[in-house]
Amino acid sequence: MNRSQSHCLLEAHSISHAFDYPLFDEVDIKLYPKESLAVVGKSGSGKSTLLHILSTLLPPLKGIVSLLGMCDIYALPQKKLLLLRREAVGIVFQSHYLFKGFSAKENVEVAALLAKEPIDKKLIERFGIAHVMQKRVSDLSGGEQQRVSIARVLTKKPKIIFADEPTGNLDSATAKEVMDAVFEYIKEHDAALFLVTHDTDLAKRCYHLYELKERRLHPLQ
Ligand SMILES: Nc1ncnc2c1ncn2[C@@H]1O[C@H](COP(=O)(O)OP(=O)(O)OP(=O)(O)O)[C@@H](O)[C@H]1O
Ligand SMILES: [Mg+2]
């Protein structure tokens, strides 16, 4: 299937945002099934903010985000936006946001229950976290929490994955294994991946690569 034959999963048009000062302007993005897109850029350039805007979490100052056939998601009633996020969007946060008082297993189970999907035991094995699944999240290492958080997102079977520094706490071999699983997932499920990272090798694995610099998104590949 090529781009002209499939529906765009994510379309962002002319996005601008600012907090105390302007972050970026005129950001345009299109993402189709089986595609991945990486954004690199200096710390503080606005990568996480852009990811939050594209992933239903933060309305931009200007511009339109359309996701999974829903035009202008921030014009939707709040309930519809929440439903879209819950049912079809998978977000791997830079700071994980797991339920810290619960076990790793319970965290993945919540996603499985909500999505009415089974837990993929092979994936848990592959991520090297089977032996820590009974532990409380607050007792896990940063890298273990990161892998639980990615396993939780894949368990949900989202149509689009937004991942903010998903391998920031992982050694290179573990990072490769985990990201291999994510790339395989988007191919097998006609899903898409929007990735923010400081890891240039990982960024280069993506179909599109951009640098966020001087308030604009510059294509690098
Ligand atoms: N909710 C907020 N209120 C005010 N300022 C914010 C808010 N969130 C982010 N910022 C500011 O916006 C800028 C961009 O932040 P952002 O987290 O998007 O950067 P980043 O490119 O992801 O950085 P890093 O690589 O360090 O994760 C920073 O200067 C940050 O302090
Ligand atoms: Mg960030």
Side-chain angles (χ1 to χ4, degrees), residues 105 121 123-135 147:
K105 185 161 180 266
K121 288 193 179 138
L123 184 80
I124 304 290
E125 293 279 345
R126 181 174 180 183
F127 280 14
I129 48 174
H131 65 294
V132 299
M133 290 305 280
Q134 303 296 342
K135 281 186 162 188
R147 283 175 278 162

Side-chain angles (χ1 to χ4, degrees), residues 19-21 23 41-50 94 164-165 196 198 212:
F19 285 115
D20 340 339
Y21 53 90
L23 279 178
K42 277 189 185 161
S43 175
S45 58
K47 304 179 299 299
S48 295
T49 305
L50 178 60
Q94 192 165 13
D164 196 346
E165 287 288 354
V196 160
H198 287 289
L212 185 54

Side-chain angles (χ1 to χ4, degrees), residues 4-21:
S4 60
Q5 292 167 315
S6 59
H7 297 291
C8 197
L9 295 182
L10 167 68
E11 184 164 3
H13 181 60
S14 214
I15 305 292
S16 303
H17 202 66
F19 285 115
D20 340 339
Y21 53 90

